[in-house]
């Protein structure tokens, strides 16, 4: 199957197509050139035999005027025996077409409507065997209803023409075969190089910015391009690392004062009277600080997923999904929501366990947050042949089809979500994490409710 696709790939590659176009052009060139030679040579050899016959006819006609019939018969017989004119044929017949003189056994059948020039075949000895030869001839009437035929064997010239025609066909076939062969060879070479480039590009897109495109010794366009892209990748890696450092230090520099603020507020709270107005103020402060910390963490995680600068490891997706379900079981029970799950064993992918866990947690958070009491949530992990698929579905209000794309955006919260807390970052992290893992995020209607599927590709 792979080989078949590889061969199909060669056939549709641009070098192969260019080679085919060129070989068709060259084949036309060969046909034009050899065709012109063929016709020129044919004309020369045809013309020389015709001249020979015409001259012989002229000579005999002149003899007619001066010779008696018996002398003329003698002359024809003599010419027939003459070895100088190889391949010459003569025949003189009486009014009943009976041969009188010459070296042909019988007057040939001449198709009606033929002029003085015509062609027929004779059987001539050829070693131990015989061969049928083509003869070109001219006829003319003699006095007293007699007739005369002068012809010449043109088999040789036919043979030359046949050889030339065969050469012409062979030249065209060879041009086409060389073109196709060359096209396949070039197509394979370019495809192999392009295949290596696209394999590395896929790894780079999945976040491994240390990868570089393969560069070979040869000085061709693909190598130049690969070298330039590698230069660009160096730059991107540098920028991403720089951004990562800024993000890390910003995270650290913001988290520390927030933590300090939180613990100061909490220790102050411990000393305050439960009914005092200061306590209400401090409680609001701790809630806000908590929200700020969550938002900060969410933003950092999204940035991490989007820049792709995360360590990759083998992740047991089955175990991960099962543990998230387990983690959320008490929360759903507390909220009066039924949580069902169906987790296929043995699903493994390459990726970031931490980000995947966060994405799944976000989906369950949403399902719990938007599903009313008495509702149902189902978590499924299917180990499909094309790759594992994780599904989280609820029977809450769902998201209208035209708003699903929008809901994936950063800081987007739909009108219905105003009643519940949140910063609108949950789904954008899910989107970033799916993209980081080369997976597909599909939001559909669970009728009623929302169904979110993460479809991972194999390998
Ligand atoms: N399971 C769901 N059912 C109905 N609506 C949903 C569901 N999940 C998400 N939404 C809608 O999509 C919006 C975006 O979701 P997202 O998770 O990004 O934000 P959030 O849950 O409001 O805030 P956060 O996740 O940052 O706490 C939500 O505000 C809500 O309107
Ligand atoms: Mg959310």
């Amino acid at each position: 199957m792979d080989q078949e696709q590889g061969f199909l790939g060669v056939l549709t590659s641009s070098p192969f197509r260019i080679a085919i176009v060129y070989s068709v052009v060259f084949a036309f060139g060969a046909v034009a050139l050899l065709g012109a030679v063929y016709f020129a040579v044919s004309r020369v050899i045809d013309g020389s035999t015709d001249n020979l016959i015409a001259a012989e006819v002229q000579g005999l006609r002149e003899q007619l005027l001066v010779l008696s019939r018996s002398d003329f018969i003698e002359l024809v017989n003599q010419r027939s025996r003459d070895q100088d004119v190889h391949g010459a044929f003569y025949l003189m017949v009486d009014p009943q077409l009976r041969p009188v003189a010459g070296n042909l056994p019988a007057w040939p059948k001449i198709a009606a409507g033929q002029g003085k020039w015509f062609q027929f075949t004779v059987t001539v000895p050829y070693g131990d065997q015989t061969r049928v030869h083509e003869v070109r001839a001219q006829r003319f009437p003699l006095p007293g209803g007699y007739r005369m035929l002068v012809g010449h064997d043109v088999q040789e010239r036919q043979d030359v023409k046949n050889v030339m025609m065969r050469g012409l066909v062979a030249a065209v076939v060879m041009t086409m075969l060389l073109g196709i062969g060359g096209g396949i060879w070039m197509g394979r070479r370019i495809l192999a190089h392009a295949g290596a480039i696209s394999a590395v590009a896929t790894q780079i897109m999945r976040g491994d910015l240390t990868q570089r495109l393969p560069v070979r010794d040869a000085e061709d366009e693909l190598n130049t391009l690969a070298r330039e892209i590698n230069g660009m990748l160096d730059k991107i890696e540098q920028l991403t690392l720089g951004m990562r450092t800024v993000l890390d230090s910003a995270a650290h520099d913001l988290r520390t004062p927030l933590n300090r603020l939180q613990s100061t507020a909490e220790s102050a709270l411990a000393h305050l009277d439960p009914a005092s107005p200061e306590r209400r103020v401090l409680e609001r402060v701790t809630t806000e600080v908590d929200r700020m910390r969550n938002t900060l963490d969410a933003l950092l995680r999204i940035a991490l997923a989007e820049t792709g600068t995360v360590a990759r490891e083998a992740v047991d997706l089955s175990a991960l999904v099962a543990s998230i379900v387990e983690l959320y079981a008490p929360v759903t029970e507390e909220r009066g929501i039924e949580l069902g799950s169906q987790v296929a064993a043995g699903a493994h992918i390459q990726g970031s366990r931490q980000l995947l866990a966060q994405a799944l947690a976000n989906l369950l958070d949403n399902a719990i947050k938007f599903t009313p009491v008495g509702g149902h949530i189902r978590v499924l992990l299917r180990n499909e042949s094309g790759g594992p698929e994780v599904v989280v579905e609820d029977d809450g209000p769902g998201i209208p089809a035209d708003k699903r794309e929008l809901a994936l955006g950063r800081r987007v919260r739909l009108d219905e979500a105003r009643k519940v807390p949140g910063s609108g970052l949950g789904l954008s992290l899910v989107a970033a994490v799916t993209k980081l893992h080369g997976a597909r995020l599909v939001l559909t209607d669970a009728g009623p409710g929302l169904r979110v599927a993460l479809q991972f590709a194999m390998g």
Side-chain angles (χ1 to χ4, degrees):
M1 171 93 179
D2 239 21
Q3 227 175 359
E4 212 171 279
Q5 272 182 352
F7 190 65
L8 268 182
V10 169
L11 294 192
T12 49
S13 70
S14 49
F16 182 75
R17 283 192 236 171
I18 292 172
I20 291 301
V21 170
Y22 272 105
S23 49
V24 168
V25 170
F26 285 139
F28 271 114
V31 168
L33 182 72
L34 294 176
V37 172
Y38 177 84
F39 284 110
V41 172
S42 299
R43 270 188 58 178
V44 170
I45 49 182
D46 284 358
S48 68
T49 356
D50 284 7
N51 288 344
L52 208 70
I53 297 171
E56 190 65 8
V57 169
Q58 184 62 32
L60 285 174
R61 280 198 161 161
E62 279 162 13
Q63 294 299 320
L64 256 184
L65 301 176
V66 290
L67 293 180
S68 66
R69 179 170 294 157
S70 57
D71 287 349
F72 188 76
I73 289 174
E74 186 47 40
L75 176 72
V76 170
N77 278 333
Q78 192 195 326
R79 294 238 168 142
S80 301
R81 285 192 302 271
D82 204 344
Q83 291 308 304
D84 286 354
V85 191
H86 172 73
F89 290 102
Y90 299 89
L91 184 63
M92 180 179 170
V93 288
D94 66 11
Q96 285 74 44
L97 296 183
R98 282 184 302 234
V100 177
N103 57 359
L104 273 177
W107 189 257
K109 282 202 178 65
I110 300 167
Q114 294 267 28
K116 61 178 183 179
W117 285 104
F118 60 98
Q119 251 160 261
F120 61 94
T121 56
V122 290
T123 310
V124 294
Y126 189 73
D128 293 341
Q129 293 157 344
T130 55
R131 255 182 86 175
V132 175
H133 276 196
E134 191 86 9
V135 176
R136 185 157 168 80
Q138 217 187 86
R139 58 180 162 168
F140 59 95
L142 299 177
Y146 282 72
R147 291 179 208 188
M148 181 74 211
L149 171 161
V150 176
H152 205 276
D153 189 333
V154 288
Q155 190 57 41
E156 239 167 60
R157 108 185 176 190
Q158 202 59 43
D159 288 347
V160 170
K161 282 190 190 175
N162 286 348
V163 166
M164 281 175 56
M165 186 49 94
R166 258 182 256 134
L168 191 113
V169 171
V172 171
V173 170
M174 283 302 287
T175 314
M176 289 306 289
L177 283 183
L178 280 176
I180 292 172
I184 290 177
W185 179 73
M186 277 199 296
R188 273 181 192 234
R189 249 176 71 109
I190 303 261
L191 277 195
H193 199 172
I197 290 182
S198 87
V200 175
T202 312
Q203 276 176 304
I204 295 171
M205 273 190 298
R206 289 197 180 159
D208 187 356
L209 284 174
T210 56
Q211 294 282 346
R212 291 295 176 269
L213 300 183
V215 178
R216 292 177 311 185
D217 283 343
E219 272 311 312
D220 59 25
E221 299 81 353
L222 273 182
N223 269 337
T224 314
L225 193 65
R227 236 178 258 127
E228 276 163 10
I229 291 178
N230 282 346
M232 195 172 78
L233 286 170
D234 288 343
K235 192 85 195 156
I236 292 176
E237 192 183 11
Q238 224 176 26
L239 287 175
T240 320
L241 278 179
M243 201 155 79
R244 177 85 199 271
T245 319
V246 171
L247 280 175
D248 280 349
S249 49
H252 182 261
D253 293 356
L254 285 173
R255 237 189 241 126
T256 321
L258 282 178
N259 286 345
R260 237 182 276 133
L261 192 61
Q262 179 88 345
S263 53
T264 314
E266 273 167 7
S267 60
L269 269 175
H271 300 110
L272 282 175
D273 181 45
S276 69
E278 291 87 354
R279 190 182 173 98
R280 284 223 316 277
V281 173
L282 275 182
E283 271 171 357
R284 286 234 346 243
V285 169
T286 50
T287 323
E288 283 306 318
V289 169
D290 218 28
R291 195 176 286 177
M292 274 167 76
R293 266 202 317 206
N294 286 341
T295 308
L296 180 65
D297 283 346
L299 281 172
L300 286 174
R301 272 193 215 104
I302 293 175
L304 206 64
E306 282 181 350
T307 53
T309 47
V310 273
R312 286 168 172 272
E313 55 196 329
V315 180
D316 182 345
L317 200 58
S318 306
L320 183 69
V321 174
S323 71
I324 296 279
V325 171
E326 208 177 310
L327 191 71
Y328 275 85
V331 192
T332 43
E333 206 179 292
E334 199 180 295
R335 293 227 25 207
I337 294 171
E338 199 184 303
L339 174 63
S341 70
Q342 213 172 320
V343 180
H348 294 271
I349 56 166
Q350 279 289 321
S352 157
R353 187 196 316 267
Q354 202 206 348
L355 285 176
L356 282 167
Q358 191 61 51
L360 289 176
N362 287 3
L363 288 179
L364 274 157
D365 266 341
N366 282 353
I368 293 170
K369 204 155 63 172
F370 298 109
T371 308
V373 176
H376 302 80
I377 298 174
R378 248 159 48 97
V379 178
L380 305 173
L381 168 62
R382 271 194 288 252
N383 208 356
E384 307 278 327
S385 58
E389 182 189 39
V390 183
V391 175
V392 177
E393 60 181 17
D394 60 60
D395 57 1
I399 305 180
D402 57 338
K403 301 233 174 78
R404 282 178 201 143
E405 193 68 31
L406 183 75
L408 299 178
R410 219 176 276 191
R411 307 208 65 84
V412 174
R413 309 199 67 219
L414 305 177
D415 287 343
E416 305 76 35
R418 300 274 177 249
K419 305 179 269 304
V420 283
S423 50
L425 292 173
L427 281 182
S428 36
L429 177 81
V430 177
V433 172
T434 356
K435 198 165 163 207
L436 176 73
H437 288 83
R440 245 160 59 89
L441 177 62
V442 187
L443 269 61
T444 43
D445 195 353
L450 180 69
R451 179 179 195 277
V452 184
L454 269 65
Q455 298 164 349
F456 295 90
M458 210 53 199

